[in-house]
């Protein structure tokens, strides 16, 4: 590698070197920086699209099909995407939420019970969001004030929430008869499904919350160094509690989206969504130990997973291999990040000294 | 049965078979004229249903996250409730085979007369069947067969291969009727690692082959509406034009139909599987792509309880000539269409 390239890379904002550390955390960047930092992920996405085009030239040659496929991928990503936004906050704040998928199921099943359905769409949406948030709050209380390890508390909630969901639904698939709810998935606005707007809305709110508010700065601070955050005057316990409630809230929104898509809810819905969300966040560069992460990165992670699923389906390849590929991508992403944030930083830092 | 009687019956059978080959008239003569030895024929009596020796039936099925499995447990419980001489003890099977095994061991400790069990996977619980049978507790396997014949007293199951055949036959005939020479056929099976899924797909493939057709794309789901929706949306994306789809399971079909509506596609016909109430209603209403479903009825759970009771009491099935309940019963897979939907409505779950 030439010296010039090395300098260019070292001065790029990839590892925060060129961006002045913002108040409350050096990873509080703007949209442009998020995109630059996620160039690798965009590269992977581009590669997947090229693979798709090469393997299915007929389909990719039809522009109307390509557009419908893009929407299909976005719809596929939307529900997990919303869960992932909440999960990203929890992980940046130094926690983890293993109960996310179970909260989706519980909120969905509760929203489709006959009692709630009789109150109409507004009642169902309200119920799902309230149930999700309350379960998140319970997680938060157990972790912040009950001093349970997040892993244990949310694992317990995973089991309990699915149990409750099975109990409420009578172990049956509860069909949603509400045309407004079902229409959330079936209808489009300006040619784009409503679900995609909801997904985009949650992403934008999440991005603003993380990057442009005190709440976001505190999240990074709490996850990066809780003790320092406490000494700086942040109520760490209260803040963690809010993060779990936020995750629960996102799960509630996701539950309505999923119910709309499947026209039904049952206790098994949202199965393993928590792992998909955690994987997407990690691929997107969120540090599992907390203190660093971006919403854009997480969203790209979700979209990459959805694109892989789509690519395999279009080529008629088995799901098993697809899962193996996904596993490989998670490992590769983490390895690349470690390499990028440690070795590369040091390597280029040394090079930078010699070239300037 | 005496040796002589057995020989006689065999001879009669052979003669009957030969006569069938020779001509219908001759067959009619032989079957009408020959009088069977005593004990070889009988007319059903009602004694099987009359209260008898008290029987405790232990029951275990996987925790239902799905309408069909839920109906299995509900049916079993309801059927047991119809008999005054049956005590019904149920243990839930938990999340996987080891969990079910643990639950079944607690059941054995309660010493039931018969165990009715729907295993997570027949292969994984085969050893338990052997153990219980050895301990003198007859095991009735519901739906997911044990590979070892010593592991069960009775196996009652749906016809998975036949289900695929029925679906393939319906689709094949419809395509022929529409004069479609090379139809694009999609398949959405359930959990792909289960043997029943591969049997269904094998039957489907074989039957389609008799029409000269094949499956263009097969994307598995996991028997839930949620996963069915994902699989269907991907199938629709992969195949811009489709002529027919077989979805193995009506519960996941709720999601499959939702995905089809959302994608605004209706150029094909769809066949379901199992025979849920929602599917039968949709077929009768005839306002969606779902035109038929092939049965795999959870009523087999009710039959299993009835037969377990008879086994416990040492009785036979009153319509059969045998003194004991047979060892294997496989239901047939029927095809429900708009024409006969009303007949099947009461079996929907």
């Amino acid at each position: 590698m030439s010296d010039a390239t090395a300098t260019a890379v070292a001065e790029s904002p990839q590892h925060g070197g060129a961006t002045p550390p913002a108040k409350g955390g050096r990873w509080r960047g703007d949209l442009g920086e998020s995109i630059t930092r996620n160039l690798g992920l965009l590269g992977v996405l581009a590669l997947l699209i090229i693979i798709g085009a090469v393997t299915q030239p007929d389909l990719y040659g039809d522009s109307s099909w390509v557009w419908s496929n893009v929407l299909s991928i976005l719809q596929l990503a939307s529900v997990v995407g919303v869960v992932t936004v909440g999960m990203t906050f929890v992980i940046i704040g130094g926690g983890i939420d293993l109960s996310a998928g179970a909260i989706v199921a519980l909120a969905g099943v509760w929203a489709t019970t006959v009692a709630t359905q009789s109150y109409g769409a507004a009642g169902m949406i309200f119920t799902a969001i309230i149930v999700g948030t309350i379960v998140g709050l319970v997680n938060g209380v157990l972790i912040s004030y009950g001093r349970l390890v997040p892993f244990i508390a949310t694992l317990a909630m995973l089991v309990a929430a699915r149990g409750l969901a099975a109990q409420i639904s009578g172990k049956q698939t509860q069909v949603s008869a509400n045309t407004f709810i079902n229409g959330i998935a079936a209808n489009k606005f300006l040619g784009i499904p409503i679900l995609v707007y909801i997904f985009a809305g949650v992403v934008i709110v999440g991005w603003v919350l993380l990057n442009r508010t005190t709440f976001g700065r505190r999240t990074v601070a709490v996850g990066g160094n809780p003790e320092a955050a406490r000494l700086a005057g942040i109520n760490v316990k209260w803040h963690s509690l809010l993060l779990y409630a936020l995750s629960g809230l996102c799960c509630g929104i996701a539950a309505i989206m999923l119910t709309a898509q499947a026209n039904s809810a049952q206790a098994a819905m949202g199965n393993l969504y928590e792992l998909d969300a955690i994987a997407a966040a990690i691929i997107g560069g969120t540090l599992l130990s907390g203190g660093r992460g971006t919403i854009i990165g997480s969203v790209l992670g979700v979209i990459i997973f959805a694109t892989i699923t789509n690519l395999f389906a279009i080529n008629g390849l088995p799901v098993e291999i697809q899962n193996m590929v996904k596993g490989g991508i998670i490992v590769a992403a983490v390895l690349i990040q470690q390499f990028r944030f440690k070795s590369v930083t040091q390597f280029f830092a040394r090079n930078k000294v010699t070239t300037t | 049965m005496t040796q002589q009687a057995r020989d006689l019956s065999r001879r009669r059978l052979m003669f009957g078979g030969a006569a069938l080959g020779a001509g219908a008239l001759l067959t009619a003569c032989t079957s009408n004229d020959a009088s069977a030895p005593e004990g070889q024929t009988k007319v059903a009596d009602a004694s099987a249903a009359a209260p008898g020796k008290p029987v405790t039936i232990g029951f275990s099925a996987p925790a239902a996250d799905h309408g069909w499995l839920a109906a299995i447990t509900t049916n079993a419980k309801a059927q047991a409730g119809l008999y005054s001489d049956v005590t019904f003890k149920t243990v839930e099977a938990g999340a996987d085979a080891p969990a079910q095994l643990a639950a079944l061991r607690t059941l054995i400790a309660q010493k039931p007369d018969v165990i009715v069990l729907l295993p997570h996977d027949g292969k994984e619980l085969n050893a338990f069947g052997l153990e219980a049978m050895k301990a003198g507790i007859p095991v009735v396997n519901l739906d997911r067969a044990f590979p070892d014949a010593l592991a069960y007293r009775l196996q009652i199951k749906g016809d998975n291969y036949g289900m695929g055949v029925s679906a393939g036959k319906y689709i094949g005939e419809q395509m022929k009727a529409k004069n479609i020479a090379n139809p694009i056929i999609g398949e959405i099976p359930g959990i792909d690692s289960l043997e029943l899924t591969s049997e269904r797909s094998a039957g489907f493939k074989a039957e389609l082959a008799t029409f000269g057709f094949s499956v263009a794309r097969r994307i598995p789901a996991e028997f839930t509406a949620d996963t069915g929706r994902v699989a269907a949306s991907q199938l629709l994306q992969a195949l811009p034009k489709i002529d027919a789809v077989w979805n193995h399971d009506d519960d996941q079909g709720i999601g499959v139909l939702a995905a089809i509506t959302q994608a605004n596609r209706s150029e094909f016909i769809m066949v379901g599987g199992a025979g849920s109430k929602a599917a039968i209603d949709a077929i009768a209403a005839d306002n969606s792509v779902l035109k038929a479903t092939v049965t795999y009825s959870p009523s087999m759970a009710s039959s299993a309880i009835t037969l377990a009771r008879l086994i416990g009491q040492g009785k036979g099935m009153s319509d059969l000539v045998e003194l004991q309940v047979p060892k294997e019963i496989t239901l047939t897979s029927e095809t429900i269409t708009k024409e006969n939907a009303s007949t099947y409505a009461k079996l929907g779950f």
Side-chain angles (χ1 to χ4, degrees):
Chain A
M1 189 184 286
S2 74
D3 285 347
T5 326
T7 312
V9 173
E11 284 177 352
S12 81
Q14 272 223 329
H15 40 86
T19 317
K23 190 181 163 194
R26 59 200 274 240
W27 295 101
R28 180 177 155 261
D30 59 11
L31 189 63
E33 193 212 327
S34 283
I35 291 173
T36 345
R37 195 152 4 102
N38 290 311
L39 270 179
L41 294 176
L42 288 171
V44 172
L45 201 53
L47 184 70
L48 290 174
I49 292 165
I50 292 169
I51 293 173
V54 169
T55 50
Q56 294 289 338
D58 289 351
L59 289 178
Y60 276 75
D62 176 357
S63 61
S64 70
W65 181 87
V66 169
W67 174 237
S68 85
N69 199 41
V70 167
L71 294 181
S72 167
I73 290 173
L74 286 177
Q75 263 182 300
L76 191 64
S78 62
V79 180
V80 182
V82 168
V83 175
T84 305
V85 170
M87 184 69 80
T88 305
F89 272 92
V90 170
I91 297 178
I92 294 176
I96 194 136
D97 187 356
L98 297 180
S99 61
I103 300 179
V104 171
L106 181 58
V109 159
W110 215 312
T112 51
T113 52
V114 176
T116 317
Q117 281 202 42
S118 62
Y119 286 102
M124 290 170 75
I125 295 170
F126 181 73
T127 305
I129 290 175
I130 287 296
V131 167
T133 311
I134 288 175
V135 178
L137 276 172
V138 173
N139 275 336
V141 169
L142 289 175
I143 292 160
S144 287
Y145 296 97
R147 297 192 178 180
L148 279 177
V149 181
F151 191 93
I152 302 295
T154 57
L155 186 65
M157 185 55 82
L158 183 163
V159 181
R162 281 223 190 269
L164 186 55
Q167 182 70 30
I168 291 173
S169 64
K171 300 169 185 173
Q172 296 281 11
T173 301
Q174 301 199 120
V175 177
S176 155
N178 192 298
T179 45
F180 180 85
I181 295 287
N182 300 347
I184 292 175
N187 293 335
K188 290 178 178 177
F189 178 68
L190 300 177
I192 295 171
I194 308 288
L195 277 178
V196 177
Y197 288 104
I198 299 178
F199 176 34
V202 171
V203 169
I204 291 168
V205 170
W207 185 86
V208 170
L209 199 58
L210 185 63
N211 296 298
R212 290 284 179 269
T213 65
T214 321
F215 183 86
R217 281 201 297 278
R218 285 182 175 169
T219 305
V220 177
V222 165
N225 188 341
E227 187 57 20
R230 192 184 65 82
L231 292 172
I234 298 173
N235 187 342
V236 174
K237 284 185 177 182
W238 176 245
H239 194 84
S240 305
L241 188 147
L242 290 181
L243 290 177
Y244 286 97
L246 181 67
S247 174
L249 173 80
C250 288
C251 293
I253 297 171
I256 279 295
M257 295 165 75
L258 203 51
T259 303
Q261 279 189 304
N263 286 3
S264 62
Q266 84 277 57
M269 77 197 266
N271 191 27
L272 298 183
Y273 275 27
E274 59 280 348
L275 295 188
D276 287 348
I278 293 168
I282 288 172
I283 288 180
T286 302
L287 208 59
L288 200 51
S289 52
R292 192 178 71 215
T294 64
I295 299 292
I296 303 288
S298 296
V299 169
L300 281 174
V302 173
I303 291 176
I304 285 174
F305 270 0
T307 310
I308 293 171
T309 304
N310 180 262
L311 199 60
F312 271 72
I314 284 165
N315 284 294
L317 297 170
V319 178
E320 301 79 50
I321 299 174
Q322 177 183 321
N323 289 338
M324 283 153 61
V325 169
K326 284 183 179 174
I329 286 184
I330 295 172
V331 172
V334 174
L335 284 179
I336 289 169
Q337 277 159 28
Q338 282 181 353
F339 181 68
R340 193 167 84 196
F341 287 113
K342 292 193 183 133
S343 327
V344 177
T345 316
Q346 288 159 11
F347 175 76
F348 288 126
R350 274 201 303 275
N351 270 339
K352 195 178 176 184
V353 171
T354 57
T355 52
T356 49
Chain B
M1 197 189 287
T2 62
Q3 183 62 40
Q4 195 191 3
R6 218 175 289 149
D7 284 348
L8 252 175
S9 81
R10 194 182 300 155
R11 220 170 293 153
R12 197 168 62 92
L13 264 175
M14 287 165 70
F15 183 50
L20 200 72
L25 183 69
L26 191 57
T27 325
C29 289
T30 52
S31 56
N32 282 342
D33 292 352
S35 60
E38 204 182 337
Q40 290 290 308
T41 56
K42 78 165 198 182
V43 174
D45 58 44
S47 70
K53 184 184 124 194
V55 177
T56 303
I57 298 175
F59 178 80
S60 167
D65 45 20
H66 171 259
W68 188 86
L69 268 178
I72 283 281
T73 309
T74 316
N75 288 352
K77 210 173 278 177
Q79 185 72 20
L82 296 180
Y83 298 110
S84 57
D85 50 7
V86 167
T87 310
F88 189 66
K89 284 191 175 157
T90 174
V91 286
E92 270 215 3
D96 54 15
Q100 189 173 26
L101 204 55
L104 284 167
R105 290 206 201 289
T106 66
L107 191 61
I108 281 203
Q110 298 174 42
K111 298 201 172 22
D113 298 302
V114 190
I115 288 179
V116 177
L117 129 92
L118 195 151
H120 271 287
D121 186 330
K123 281 184 200 142
E124 289 176 312
L125 284 158
N126 187 57
F128 170 81
L130 287 172
E131 189 184 317
M133 290 288 284
K134 214 170 206 174
I137 304 173
V139 173
V140 175
N141 179 309
L142 188 52
D143 193 44
R144 295 179 190 172
F146 291 138
D148 191 335
L150 295 176
Y152 59 92
R153 165 63 185 83
L154 163 66
Q155 232 159 225
I156 174 164
K157 55 193 180 66
D159 185 3
N160 286 299
Y161 188 87
M163 204 179 167
V165 170
S166 299
K169 186 160 185 273
Y170 182 82
I171 288 178
E173 284 169 354
Q174 293 293 312
M175 295 298 108
K176 284 279 181 218
K178 288 183 182 176
N179 273 327
I180 303 174
N182 287 309
I184 296 163
I185 299 170
E187 185 184 359
I188 303 176
I191 300 172
D192 227 4
S193 61
L194 293 179
E195 196 173 330
L196 64 91
T197 300
S198 35
E199 285 175 17
R200 288 177 188 185
S201 287
F204 188 54
K205 193 177 165 190
E207 180 65 24
L208 285 180
T210 65
F211 292 89
F213 301 159
S214 62
V215 175
R217 196 66 99 237
R218 182 181 182 280
I219 301 180
E222 284 164 22
F223 285 141
T224 66
D226 179 12
T227 56
R229 189 259 312 165
V230 174
S233 64
Q234 295 308 304
L235 183 82
L236 295 173
Q237 205 51 47
L239 303 172
K241 190 191 167 292
I242 302 178
D243 294 301
V245 172
W246 182 37
N247 162 56
H248 287 208
D249 181 85
D250 286 335
D251 230 43
Q252 82 185 13
I254 295 171
V256 171
L257 279 174
I260 292 169
T261 315
Q262 285 154 25
N264 220 353
R265 296 273 293 266
S266 58
E267 79 275 13
F268 53 90
I269 59 161
M270 179 166 126
V271 176
S276 76
K277 198 174 173 308
I280 296 175
D281 289 348
I283 292 165
D286 195 19
N287 55 8
S288 70
V289 293
L290 187 66
K291 299 297 176 201
T293 187
V294 290
T295 61
Y296 195 85
S297 176
S299 63
M300 67 175 82
S302 317
S303 303
I305 295 297
T306 301
L307 297 173
R309 170 179 168 272
L310 294 177
I311 290 171
Q313 294 176 337
K315 291 181 187 164
M317 294 159 73
S318 57
D319 268 324
L320 294 187
V321 180
E322 321 309 324
L323 292 176
Q324 296 287 333
V325 171
K327 187 165 165 124
E328 305 267 357
I329 296 174
T330 305
L331 312 180
T332 59
S333 181
E334 296 135 77
T335 308
I336 305 177
T337 58
K338 190 182 162 190
E339 284 68 37
N340 63 10
S342 58
T343 316
Y344 286 92
K346 66 176 192 295
L347 277 183
F349 57 91

